[in-house]
Amino acid sequence: MKYKNINSAIHNFGHSFASYENYVDDEYVLYELKNIRRKGYDIHINWITREFSPAQLESDRIKKSISYWAKGLKDQFKSLNVNLEFIKELDFYWPANEQHYIVALDDRGVKHQKEITYAQ
């Protein structure tokens, strides 16, 4: 386990999730997330519990996407020599009027945060 690689792991994961790689049921999930933001809602995904907020706007497509990406999370992190078991919190945030970012808290209590800059 290399703690210094956590920033790279969360950055890559966040960028991939909020990109055109995230395609479910004949549509890009990114479009649906952008529409939620345009309505003035902040988006939050807890990747440990797979919870989405705002819960009332979680579509079947979003649920499927979160499930797909969460299943691959352990292997994606492992490829960067990061053990997911050492990550105590992993959250994706996309505030309505701000840049989106991803935050991880490791088992030492160290917070890692990376902005995701291209999916406006």
Side-chain angles (χ1 to χ4, degrees), residues 93-107:
Y93 296 96
W94 200 353
N97 297 313
E98 297 176 33
Q99 193 64 32
H100 52 311
Y101 57 96
I102 190 163
V103 178
L105 183 68
D106 68 31
D107 64 324

Side-chain angles (χ1 to χ4, degrees), residues 72-86:
L73 187 57
K74 185 176 181 177
D75 288 337
Q76 185 174 356
F77 275 39
K78 186 178 179 179
S79 73
L80 292 169
N81 203 13
V82 174
N83 187 334
L84 192 57
E85 293 174 16
F86 289 86

Side-chain angles (χ1 to χ4, degrees), residues 33-60:
L33 297 176
K34 285 182 176 185
N35 285 333
I36 291 170
R37 283 185 65 240
R38 285 187 191 112
K39 293 176 183 176
Y41 291 95
D42 295 339
I43 294 170
H44 171 239
I45 301 169
N46 179 323
W47 286 104
I48 304 299
T49 64
R50 301 182 186 186
E51 292 177 82
F52 177 85
S53 179
Q56 73 275 18
L57 297 178
E58 184 179 27
S59 67
D60 286 340

Side-chain angles (χ1 to χ4, degrees), residues 1-15 48 73 76-91 101-116:
M1 165 68 183
K2 292 195 176 185
Y3 287 99
K4 69 178 184 173
N5 292 356
I6 293 174
N7 281 333
S8 296
I10 66 173
H11 181 260
N12 291 350
F13 180 75
H15 267 285
I48 304 299
L73 187 57
Q76 185 174 356
F77 275 39
K78 186 178 179 179
S79 73
L80 292 169
N81 203 13
V82 174
N83 187 334
L84 192 57
E85 293 174 16
F86 289 86
I87 305 299
K88 300 305 173 195
E89 296 177 18
L90 182 60
D91 297 284
Y101 57 96
I102 190 163
V103 178
L105 183 68
D106 68 31
D107 64 324
R108 305 168 302 167
V110 175
K111 179 179 172 182
H112 307 264
Q113 181 170 325
K114 294 300 286 185
E115 284 191 11
I116 304 164

